[in-house]
Amino acid sequence: MCELSDLNDQQQQEHRLDPNDTWFETFKSIAWHGGSAFDAWLNATSAQIAQVLLTFPYSFAQLGLASGIVFQVLYGFMGCWTCYMITSLYADYRAAKEKENPKAFENHTIQWYEVLGGLLGPYWRAAGIFFNTVLLFCTATIQVIACGSTVYYIKDSLPKRTWTIIFGACCLVTVLIPSAHNYRVLSFSGILMTTYTAWYLTITAVIHGKDPDVTHSGAKNVVQYFTGATNILYAFGSTVTVEIMHAMWKPRKFKLVYLYAIVYIFTLTLPSAIAVYWRFGDKMLDNANAFAVFPKTKFRDAAVILMLMHQFIQFGLISLPIFIIWEKFVGVHHSKYYVLRAIARIPVVLATWFIAIMIPFFGPINSAVGSLLVTFSVYLIPCSAHMVANFKSTARKAAIEQPPTWILRSWTLVYLLNSFITVWVLIVGFGFGVYASVRNLVDQIDSFGLFARCYQCTRKC
């Protein structure tokens, strides 16, 4: 069976540079239209890591150094495996639909809930749309919260709530970006921004050395430990997998693209989290945002501004699937007038904006979202769906994506890996994680209240 592609040969030809193109058309071809594996890597990496980079030292203080490293590596590679499961199911679904109608997806973006519904029926479709939509909505909300939290460390004369209101309004601009095809320059810029921030944190922490009387107590109780673990769980596993994959000319390559993205992310998150925790130790328990403990310098201010810009980009990428779901719901997804689709997207941004102002608990909310939603949307549903979809031997033989060579092309080992991830995430991520993270979030609400003017601020606002 031929390899799937998002764009057929004729569509790819349309995006190649033509010497007769105007300068504007040339610019669009270079900066705007992207469906290569490299474009997918840019989008996957940019969407995966931004504000959560700033919370990893907080998680290390809750977990301890050894557990922090182990959980990062474990959840990173578990996320790669579940991404492979999603890629496999997407390939089977698309092949079946294109066999029925070769032009089925010319003006239609495939989404995860459609894959589940097409392969497994309406109940799976409902589970997919519920968990993925709520997860994406919460993740987009966290980006708005993070913007207010981050910019506060440059100008603390305004409370974080005011900054959240300002940047929530700025996020309205993201409704103008049609699809993952159009994030090439933005995603490339976002990766550079976060790379600078990660290495600023690492180098500055190492150069200045440990703070006087620093302590590294590690986990002090079960709530702390599993709150930290679920924050790391939240960080790994792509929530925009199908939309990025669908924007590729060769979607089946995404499983490797995502692996490369995670490996690169490790080069940013592990050194920065280790170095910052080594320098500040238990002080990080009271500072969910790593910028809070660094002195104000031009290098720190540059890192704050760059991270702020990347959070804005990540908001757009994370919101994209919700925009598309909403477009389909209100019936404008196939409209030839993009301005109509852009206007239809505005209520999504307004809703995330409101929730971000109401619950501004940067850090604790990451853990709550990780335990309640990421567990199902990113880990449990993909692994379970893959096992159910390939339960029959005829389905396994017909599957486009066969088991990889590194597990001896064994379907038995595929089922064992899926079962291990399902049981682990169900017990550790969901069971202990929900208890710890929700209790921690409730404590924050009791301490600061809803619509808090300034959460974990360094001065009285």
Side-chain angles (χ1 to χ4, degrees):
M1 184 174 292
C2 62
E3 183 171 0
L4 299 173
S5 64
D6 175 59
L7 299 176
N8 59 31
D9 292 340
Q10 181 181 354
Q11 288 175 302
Q12 291 189 44
Q13 183 68 32
E14 289 174 359
H15 292 303
R16 292 174 185 162
L17 296 181
D18 187 327
N20 297 319
D21 280 347
T22 64
W23 67 269
F24 181 68
E25 291 299 323
T26 301
F27 170 77
K28 285 204 305 182
S29 296
I30 295 173
W32 191 244
H33 296 297
S36 68
F38 181 63
D39 288 308
W41 180 85
L42 292 175
N43 286 337
T45 307
S46 183
Q48 191 70 45
I49 193 76
Q51 51 78 28
V52 77
L53 173 78
L54 304 175
T55 69
F56 275 146
Y58 169 69
S59 297
F60 271 46
Q62 294 173 312
L63 286 164
L65 183 62
S67 290
I69 295 171
V70 169
F71 273 114
Q72 269 208 50
V73 174
L74 175 65
Y75 287 142
F77 287 115
M78 282 170 58
C80 291
W81 177 257
T82 56
C83 177
Y84 175 60
M85 297 297 97
I86 294 172
T87 304
S88 301
L89 294 171
Y90 171 92
D92 290 336
Y93 171 75
R94 181 157 184 170
K97 288 297 181 181
E98 288 185 336
K99 188 179 293 183
E100 298 173 5
N101 179 6
K103 296 184 178 181
F105 303 113
E106 279 190 356
N107 299 306
H108 182 90
T109 301
I110 299 174
Q111 295 190 274
W112 177 227
Y113 72 92
E114 293 171 320
V115 174
L116 290 172
L119 295 176
L120 298 171
Y123 293 110
W124 285 89
R125 176 188 173 93
I129 197 168
F130 172 77
F131 282 105
N132 218 40
T133 303
V134 177
L135 169 60
L136 289 163
F137 181 85
C138 291
T139 305
T141 301
I142 288 168
Q143 303 312 310
V144 181
I145 297 171
C147 284
S149 176
T150 299
V151 74
Y152 173 79
Y153 296 108
I154 287 184
K155 189 173 179 63
D156 61 3
S157 58
L158 294 177
K160 292 180 183 179
R161 185 176 66 191
T162 302
W163 283 120
T164 302
I165 293 171
I166 293 170
F167 281 96
C170 293
C171 287
L172 285 166
V173 178
T174 60
V175 303
L176 300 175
I177 304 173
S179 72
H181 278 295
N182 312 119
Y183 272 90
R184 175 182 285 172
V185 171
L186 291 174
S187 292
F188 181 76
S189 302
I191 292 170
L192 293 180
M193 294 166 186
T194 300
T195 299
Y196 171 86
T197 302
W199 286 107
Y200 158 75
L201 296 174
T202 304
I203 294 170
T204 304
V206 171
I207 288 176
H208 289 280
K210 289 184 179 179
D211 274 5
D213 302 321
V214 66
T215 57
H216 299 87
S217 302
K220 295 181 179 179
N221 53 59
V222 171
V223 172
Q224 269 192 8
Y225 188 84
F226 286 103
T227 299
T230 50
N231 182 48
I232 294 176
L233 176 76
Y234 164 79
F236 293 100
S238 178
T239 54
V240 202
T241 299
V242 175
E243 288 77 14
I244 296 174
M245 192 189 313
H246 187 77
M248 293 178 67
W249 294 324
K250 297 181 179 179
R252 288 177 61 191
K253 289 188 175 181
F254 188 72
K255 56 185 180 293
L256 289 176
V257 166
Y258 188 74
L259 174 62
Y260 298 147
I262 291 298
V263 170
Y264 182 75
I265 286 165
F266 281 155
T267 69
L268 305 181
T269 57
L270 285 170
S272 60
I274 292 169
V276 174
Y277 176 58
W278 170 78
R279 178 182 176 186
F280 296 104
D282 292 344
K283 186 177 181 180
M284 297 309 305
L285 289 171
D286 299 317
N287 295 282
N289 190 321
F291 284 137
V293 295
F294 283 83
K296 184 177 177 61
T297 66
K298 60 182 180 181
F299 296 107
R300 193 207 69 165
D301 287 353
V304 171
I305 293 169
L306 292 175
M307 180 56 71
L308 181 66
M309 294 169 66
H310 189 187
Q311 286 168 186
F312 176 78
I313 294 166
Q314 193 179 38
F315 175 87
L317 275 167
I318 294 297
S319 298
L320 181 62
I322 317 175
F323 291 157
I324 296 172
I325 291 172
W326 185 248
E327 288 172 16
K328 293 174 183 177
F329 179 75
V330 298
V332 300
H333 181 60
H334 300 111
S335 174
K336 61 181 180 180
Y337 301 107
Y338 182 69
V339 66
L340 186 62
R341 294 172 57 196
I343 292 171
R345 294 175 172 191
I346 291 175
V348 175
V349 180
L350 295 179
T352 59
W353 189 10
F354 176 79
I355 299 300
I357 297 168
M358 183 175 71
I359 308 176
F361 309 122
F362 182 61
I365 197 172
N366 288 7
S367 300
V369 170
S371 61
L372 289 166
L373 298 171
V374 172
T375 49
F376 283 91
S377 185
V378 175
Y379 298 95
L380 296 177
I381 291 177
C383 290
S384 300
H386 191 271
M387 288 191 287
V388 174
N390 293 287
F391 181 75
K392 295 181 179 179
S393 60
T394 53
R396 294 194 293 271
K397 290 177 182 177
I400 292 175
E401 286 286 349
Q402 293 295 313
T405 54
W406 61 270
I407 57 170
L408 307 176
R409 298 200 174 277
S410 169
W411 279 99
T412 301
L413 291 178
V414 169
Y415 270 74
L416 286 174
L417 278 170
N418 280 332
S419 299
F420 168 77
I421 291 173
T422 300
V423 172
W424 176 275
V425 172
L426 198 59
I427 295 174
V428 178
F430 181 72
F432 290 107
V434 167
Y435 165 75
S437 59
V438 171
R439 181 172 170 180
N440 185 41
L441 183 60
V442 170
D443 288 343
Q444 300 299 316
I445 293 173
D446 288 342
S447 299
F448 294 92
L450 298 175
F451 299 100
R453 293 185 74 245
C454 222
Y455 170 68
Q456 288 187 344
C457 292
T458 54
R459 54 174 285 177
K460 186 176 181 180
C461 296

